[in-house]
Amino acid sequence: MSLQKLRNIGIAAHIDAGKTTVTERILFYTGITRKMGEVHDGQATMDFMKQEQERGITIASAAISCRWRDYDINIIDTPGHVDFTVEVERSLRVIDGLVALFCAVAGVQPQSETVWNQADRYKVPRIAFINKMDRIGADFNEAVHQMDAHLDANPVPFQVPMGKEDDFAGCIDIIERRAYSFGESGVIAIDMPEEYREECERARRHLVEKVADYDEEIMDLYLNEKDVPADLIKKAAREATIKMLITPVFCGAAYKNKGVHLLLDAVLEYLPSPIDVGSVCGTDVADAEKMHVRNPSSKDHFAALAFKLIHDPYVGQQTFIRIYSGELTSGMQVLNSSKDKPERIGRILKIHAKDREEVETAGPGDIVALIGMKFTKTGDTLCDQEFPLHLESIFVPPTVIELKISAPSKKEEEKLGASLRKLSMEDPSFRVRYDNETNETVISGMGELHLEIIVDRLKHEFGVEAIVGEPSVAFRETITTESEMNYRHVKQTGGKGQYAHTVMRIEPNEGKGFEFVDHIKGGVIPAEFIPSVQKGIVGAMDEGILAGFPVVDVRVVLLDGSFHEVDSSDMAFRTCGAVCFKQAFMKAKPILLEPLMKIEINTPDDYIGDVVGDLNRRRGKVESMRRYRKGSQKLNGYVPLMEMFGYATQLRSISSGRANYSMEFHNYVPVNKETQEKVLKEIELKKKQKAG
C-alpha cells in the first residue's frame, strides 16, 4: 500500500452535531457495514459501549479502518461532551487530518471551540462539514461566518447548497461547476439549475482569491481575468489546507444520507497523508535538548506512540498505537522508552469498531491495537531498542471532581480495587487514591457525567455494585509563605532503632508543580538516603496535610541533617522527610485551591439578566458577551466548580429550557478565607461522624 493513499482522520465537534451519524454513513458507503446504525436507537457501530447506546452519545473514541476509491482511511470518532475531552486530546495527537462538524442550525457551539483549540495545539489540518442542512433554521452562510468570527478558521466554501431546510436538494461543487443531488443509490450528477449559476461563480471567485494568495500561477491568471482550471485550484487548495492556511467547507445532511460521498472525496482530496505530514521529531532519552528525526518510511528505525488502552472482555487489554516510522512484526521486541522497559509484541490487530482482523506486520501511518503489552500506558513511546527516543506525550488536564466509593461487601473489595486499576489505566483523566485517614477509596475525574459512566461501567462490565457518595470538588492544597523546619526522627523499640534527621526549607512554587532541591554538603545525609527523603515528601503531598487533598506548587530545599551508622535506614528517612515536610507545611500559611471553570452560555436575549444575576450569585464573573445568532447572546466567563452543582436544572428553569452551557477546567485558584473555613469545618464534621 502506498503511503500517499493512506488517511488518518478524526471526526470531532460539539455534542449532538452528528459525528457518529456521519461516521456510520461513511462505514456503510465504504462497505464496512451492511446496515446503517443509528445513534437514537442505540445501534451505531462506533458507539459499541452499553453506556453510549443508552445515552445516545459517544464516550470512547473508537478507531476503525475502511477503504474508499482504493485509499485506506483510519477514522477515529471522538466524543463531543466536555467531560471526555481527553479522548479528543489523545485522538488529535495521533491523527493527520480532522473533519470538524458543525450544526447548520446552531453554528459554532462551545465544544466546537474547545475541539478547534485542541486541534490548533497539535497543528492538525482540517476541513469542515456543515451538517443538518435539512433542519428548520439551517443557515450555511451564518455557520461559515461564525467559523470566521469565533474560530479564526479562514473558512472557504467549496460547495454552494441548493436550498435549505425541507428544500435542501443537493449541492454544487464550485471548483468543477457541477451540481449534485442525492438519491437512494448515492450521488447523482445533474445539470446546474440556472438560479444558482451566478452564486456558484461568485463563490468560485472568492475561492480563487483565497488560494491565489498562496499560488503565483493562480494569482497571474486571476489578475489577467482568465479562468483558472479546476486541477490548479485543487492542487493549491490542498497545499493551503495542509499548511492550515484555509479551512475548506462542505455541507450536507448525514442523517438523510446527503453529502457524505462528497465529504469522503474531500478527505482524499484535501487532507494529508503521512507523507504530507512528514517526519516526526523526538527527544533523546538521555538529553532532552537533543532531537531525533523519524521519517514515515518502513526502512527508518521503529517509533510509535501508545494513545489509548481498552479492556476487552474477549482478548484482554488492547493497546492502541500510531506507528510513525519503521515496521512492527508479531513477536518483535521493542523498547518502551517512557518506562525504560522492553516489551514483546504479541498479536497485532486492525480494528473495525467491535470486529478485529489479525495482521502479521504494520508500518508507518498504521493505527493498530496490540495484545499483551505489560508496561505500556497512554502517552508512552515504543521504539527500536538500539535507537531510543521520546515522542511528545499527550496533555491530560487535572481532575476537578471526586467521589467516595466503596465495595458492598468485604468479599468484593479486591474486585473493586482491580476494576478501578483497569479503568484508570484505560483513562488517564480518571484517578484513584486511598484516603488513609478515613480508610476510603476516592475516585476523581473531569465532571459528573464522567464519574457516572465510570460507576456504570463498574456495574455492567466488571460486575461490581459499588456504593458511591455525593460528588464533591477536588480541591488542592498549597502554601503562601516560606518556612523552615528541623526535625529529628528517633525511635527505640528494642533491637535496631530508627534514626533520621532533616532540615528543610519549603517555599511557594506557583504554576511550576513540585520541585526538590538537594543542598546537602559533606555527606551529612548519605547520598543513598536523599531519594528516601524525597519519597517521604511526595507521599505526604499525595495524601494531603490541611484537609486530605493533594499538595501542589511547592519547592523543597533540603538544607542539612544527620544520620546514625546503625539505626539510619531508607524507612527512617522516608518517615522523617514526611513528618518534617508536614510540620513545615503547616507553618507556611497553607491554603486550599479550588478548580475555576471556563463557562460558555448560549441564551436568548430575554433571559440575559437572569442568567448573569444567577452566575454572579455563584461567584462567577462574566468576561465577554457577543451576538450568537439573531435574538441570542453568547456569554463567556469563569466560575468556581463548587458553585455549579445542579446548574443544568437551574439554567433550564431560568430560561424555560432554551439556554444551554458548556464548562471546562481553566485553572486552580485560591479559595477565599470564608469558603475555606466552611470547607474545612465540613470535612472535620464528616470525620467525626465517621469516627462516631
Side-chain angles (χ1 to χ4, degrees):
M1 180 199 71
S2 158
L3 274 182
Q4 287 286 13
K5 292 200 162 187
L6 174 64
R7 298 287 181 272
N8 284 318
I9 65 162
I11 297 181
H14 185 88
I15 194 165
D16 206 27
K19 294 177 300 301
T20 302
T21 304
V22 167
T23 312
E24 288 299 323
R25 299 306 182 263
I26 289 173
L27 299 185
F28 179 75
Y29 293 132
T30 56
I32 294 293
T33 53
R34 293 202 177 94
K35 172 181 175 289
M36 288 186 220
E38 302 298 355
V39 175
H40 59 81
D41 59 15
Q43 294 299 308
T45 308
M46 299 298 270
D47 287 350
F48 55 90
M49 282 168 64
K50 180 181 182 294
Q51 294 78 10
E52 296 178 310
Q53 291 163 1
E54 284 174 356
R55 290 168 176 78
I57 62 168
T58 302
I59 293 161
S61 54
I64 200 160
S65 306
C66 58
R67 280 180 75 79
W68 181 251
R69 288 189 0 208
D70 78 346
Y71 279 70
D72 282 306
I73 305 174
N74 290 321
I75 302 169
I76 296 180
D77 178 36
T78 60
H81 197 286
V82 74
D83 279 15
F84 308 103
T85 190
V86 77
E87 288 288 343
V88 185
E89 196 78 41
R90 56 176 161 197
S91 303
L92 286 167
R93 173 64 186 84
V94 295
I95 58 177
D96 299 327
L98 180 73
V99 178
L101 253 65
F102 298 91
C103 171
V105 182
V108 174
Q109 293 167 279
Q111 190 65 7
S112 321
E113 293 193 44
T114 305
V115 169
W116 198 269
N117 294 336
Q118 286 173 306
D120 280 342
R121 182 187 298 142
Y122 292 111
K123 297 184 171 53
V124 180
R126 59 217 88 149
I127 61 176
F129 183 68
I130 310 285
N131 192 25
K132 306 191 180 184
M133 282 297 299
D134 57 336
R135 292 265 302 273
I136 292 168
D139 190 333
F140 179 77
N141 293 330
E142 173 61 20
V144 172
H145 166 73
Q146 287 187 25
M147 283 178 67
D148 196 31
H150 307 330
L151 303 177
D152 197 21
N154 200 6
V156 183
F158 277 44
Q159 292 175 341
V160 167
M162 293 193 292
K164 62 180 180 178
E165 300 177 351
D166 287 344
D167 301 326
F168 178 59
C171 58
I172 296 160
D173 176 342
I174 60 178
I175 298 178
E176 299 279 2
R177 297 183 171 102
R178 277 193 198 139
Y180 295 96
S181 74
F182 308 105
E184 288 296 312
S185 56
V187 181
I188 305 155
I190 58 169
D191 291 332
M192 191 192 300
E194 204 55 49
E195 67 265 31
Y196 288 106
R197 211 167 280 283
E198 193 183 321
E199 192 181 344
C200 172
E201 288 308 312
R202 195 165 53 243
R204 198 177 196 270
R205 258 195 317 278
H206 175 67
L207 170 53
V208 168
E209 267 174 37
K210 285 282 188 183
V211 294
D213 290 342
Y214 317 115
D215 189 288
E216 285 185 18
E217 195 179 343
I218 293 178
M219 178 65 86
D220 194 45
L221 289 167
Y222 175 70
L223 291 174
N224 290 306
E225 296 183 1
K226 290 181 180 170
D227 193 57
V228 183
D231 289 353
L232 202 55
I233 297 175
K234 284 181 180 178
K235 181 172 165 285
R238 176 178 175 76
E239 283 174 17
T241 305
I242 290 170
K243 289 176 181 166
M244 291 172 58
L245 300 167
I246 63 167
T247 305
V249 184
F250 303 87
C251 65
Y255 183 55
K256 299 277 178 67
N257 313 325
K258 296 179 177 182
V260 179
H261 295 77
L262 302 177
L263 176 65
L264 270 168
D265 291 344
V267 164
L268 310 186
E269 196 84 61
Y270 302 109
L271 288 179
S273 71
I275 298 282
D276 298 315
V277 173
S279 58
V280 293
C281 280
T283 56
D284 190 83
V285 172
D287 178 7
E289 298 297 307
K290 199 172 162 191
M291 303 300 284
H292 295 293
V293 174
R294 293 286 181 271
N295 296 300
S297 157
S298 53
K299 293 182 174 66
D300 207 340
H301 307 303
F302 174 71
L305 186 81
F307 69 96
K308 185 173 178 63
L309 267 69
I310 289 181
H311 177 75
D312 186 297
Y314 303 106
V315 295
Q317 186 179 287
Q318 295 180 9
T319 306
F320 281 81
I321 65 163
R322 156 73 197 257
I323 301 172
Y324 288 96
S325 63
E327 206 162 61
L328 189 69
T329 53
S330 202
M332 178 174 160
Q333 183 123 331
V334 296
L335 175 72
N336 177 332
S337 61
S338 310
K339 302 275 192 301
D340 194 24
K341 300 262 189 186
E343 287 271 29
R344 183 166 292 283
I345 303 303
R347 294 162 66 200
I348 304 172
L349 304 178
K350 280 220 160 183
I351 303 294
H352 306 294
K354 347 178 221 206
D355 303 319
R356 45 190 90 75
E357 170 203 347
E358 194 159 342
V359 292
E360 284 303 307
T361 62
D366 281 342
I367 291 176
V368 292
L370 306 178
I371 308 297
M373 295 283 100
K374 285 185 181 157
F375 310 106
T376 305
K377 303 258 178 47
T378 296
D380 286 359
T381 300
L382 294 175
C383 57
D384 190 312
Q385 290 180 297
E386 302 299 312
F387 301 92
L389 82 164
H390 285 313
L391 296 172
E392 182 199 349
S393 193
I394 291 162
F395 170 74
V396 180
T399 57
V400 295
I401 197 162
E402 55 187 39
L403 279 179
K404 301 259 189 331
I405 189 165
S406 58
S409 65
K410 204 85 180 137
K411 195 172 68 179
E412 295 270 273
E413 265 176 25
E414 207 171 301
K415 196 175 174 187
L416 174 66
S419 307
L420 289 172
R421 267 195 305 280
K422 278 178 186 161
L423 287 167
S424 65
M425 278 177 75
E426 274 185 30
D427 180 354
S429 66
F430 170 64
R431 312 267 161 84
V432 183
R433 67 183 174 86
Y434 189 72
D435 189 330
N436 286 317
E437 216 171 302
T438 59
N439 294 327
E440 289 173 314
T441 301
V442 180
I443 59 172
S444 53
M446 304 306 299
E448 288 178 85
L449 181 63
H450 186 196
L451 294 184
E452 186 189 312
I453 299 290
I454 293 281
V455 172
D456 211 34
R457 287 186 66 192
L458 279 172
K459 182 179 173 181
H460 293 105
E461 266 175 61
F462 299 95
V464 181
E465 288 271 7
I467 300 161
V468 294
E470 287 295 308
S472 60
V473 172
F475 292 97
R476 297 286 184 269
E477 301 177 10
T478 194
I479 54 171
T480 52
T481 61
E482 222 176 79
S483 84
E484 205 169 291
M485 182 52 63
N486 182 337
Y487 178 72
R488 201 180 301 268
H489 175 69
V490 185
K491 217 171 186 182
Q492 205 68 46
T493 50
K496 191 183 170 190
Q498 282 189 35
Y499 179 90
H501 172 213
T502 56
V503 180
M504 65 177 72
R505 181 176 75 244
I506 69 170
E507 48 200 54
N509 202 27
E510 199 178 330
K512 294 179 186 166
F514 169 62
E515 214 176 314
F516 180 79
V517 183
D518 173 17
H519 274 187
I520 292 297
K521 302 265 190 313
V524 291
I525 298 177
E528 67 266 25
F529 293 138
I530 305 290
S532 308
V533 176
Q534 187 173 349
K535 277 179 194 160
I537 293 167
V538 169
M541 287 176 69
D542 288 346
E543 284 178 15
I545 298 154
L546 185 64
F549 298 106
V551 174
V552 295
D553 296 347
V554 175
R555 186 170 187 263
V556 179
V557 184
L558 187 58
L559 301 167
D560 200 0
S562 62
F563 75 105
H564 187 278
E565 290 287 354
V566 178
D567 291 349
S568 285
S569 64
D570 167 68
M571 200 60 221
F573 270 99
R574 199 183 278 208
T575 308
C576 183
V579 177
C580 190
F581 177 77
K582 283 178 183 177
Q583 291 183 358
F585 184 87
M586 291 311 288
K587 271 175 66 184
K589 296 189 180 165
I591 57 164
L592 287 180
L593 300 173
E594 65 177 336
L596 186 72
M597 310 301 282
K598 187 178 175 190
I599 190 167
E600 189 166 283
I601 306 167
N602 299 328
T603 175
D605 294 342
D606 301 354
Y607 308 108
I608 205 109
D610 290 341
V611 168
V612 171
D614 181 62
L615 207 58
N616 289 338
R617 279 191 292 279
R618 295 172 187 269
R619 295 191 286 132
K621 183 179 166 198
V622 175
E623 284 280 292
S624 65
M625 280 188 209
R626 62 175 190 238
R627 191 180 77 81
Y628 170 48
R629 293 182 79 77
K630 197 174 176 188
S632 288
Q633 296 279 339
K634 186 176 275 195
L635 270 67
N636 286 80
Y638 300 94
V639 61
L641 176 66
M642 71 180 295
E643 307 290 347
M644 294 304 283
F645 291 107
Y647 182 65
T649 311
Q650 177 66 8
L651 185 65
R652 272 199 299 272
S653 163
I654 291 173
S655 66
S656 307
R658 291 174 63 201
N660 61 56
Y661 79 104
S662 170
M663 202 166 64
E664 64 177 311
F665 172 75
H666 184 254
N667 66 342
Y668 269 93
V669 294
V671 171
N672 64 46
K673 200 175 171 192
E674 208 176 285
T675 310
Q676 178 162 318
E677 281 171 11
K678 188 176 145 198
V679 171
L680 293 176
K681 266 183 197 159
E682 279 173 13
I683 290 166
E684 202 53 48
L685 188 66
K686 280 177 189 168
K687 279 183 193 168
K688 279 179 186 164
Q689 284 170 347
K690 194 155 181 68

